[in-house]
Amino acid sequence: MPDLNFYDQVYQIVRMIPPGRVTSYGAIANSLGTKGSSRMVGYAMQACPAANPPVPAHRVVNSQGLLTGKFHFGGDLMEQLLESEGVKVENDKVVDFKKVFWDPAIELGM
DNA sequence: TACTTGACAAAAG
DNA sequence: CCTTTTGCCAAGT
């Protein structure tokens, strides 16, 4: 198994997310093999500012495309970042979530 | 070693 | 559509 910690694996996946795209915590956990640990993905995000290089955690949303962690970014910062990348956000959730959804499992060749 | 805590997810009411 | 409940797993104390 990998030498990296669970957090680092999550960070690597998140860093792979291209601009204008988003993914869900569950999808990341699933691609890591620990699909039951979707909560751990969010938990890792909590420490994301401690990661180096920083991870675009604003591209990670919950299964509904809802910006659950917007408050951790501070107000509307998360929305602004997504909008800047071309992701429409309305009522704290991603518009056309399924269209902008980026599946790590596919990009990883799985 | 055991208990508590979560930026979740899916199901049920 | 919204709220509540259950399961899940790793990290910190």
Side-chain angles (χ1 to χ4, degrees):
Chain A
M1 283 305 291
D3 307 339
L4 301 174
N5 297 329
F6 198 90
Y7 284 24
D8 294 326
Q9 297 191 38
V10 175
Y11 297 151
Q12 291 200 16
I13 297 291
V14 177
R15 283 194 280 248
M16 284 185 228
I17 305 175
R21 290 296 190 85
V22 297
T23 191
S24 64
Y25 300 94
I28 295 172
N30 189 18
S31 59
L32 288 175
T34 56
K35 50 184 174 183
S37 57
S38 51
R39 313 175 70 151
M40 313 292 57
V41 178
Y43 208 69
M45 296 290 96
Q46 186 189 86
C48 97
N52 188 303
V55 292
H58 61 273
R59 294 179 189 149
V60 184
V61 297
N62 72 352
S63 61
Q64 304 174 31
L66 191 66
L67 308 186
T68 47
K70 68 171 293 182
F71 296 104
H72 287 256
F73 274 83
D76 58 338
L77 177 60
M78 188 172 184
E79 298 168 42
Q80 297 298 313
L81 290 170
L82 290 171
E83 296 268 9
S84 299
E85 296 180 352
V87 179
K88 302 289 179 66
V89 178
E90 190 165 309
N91 195 9
D92 294 347
K93 57 190 175 191
V94 177
V95 181
D96 296 325
F97 174 59
K98 299 182 68 175
K99 294 185 179 183
V100 299
F101 179 74
W102 183 84
D103 191 342
I106 296 175
E107 298 299 322
L108 292 174
M110 310 193 283

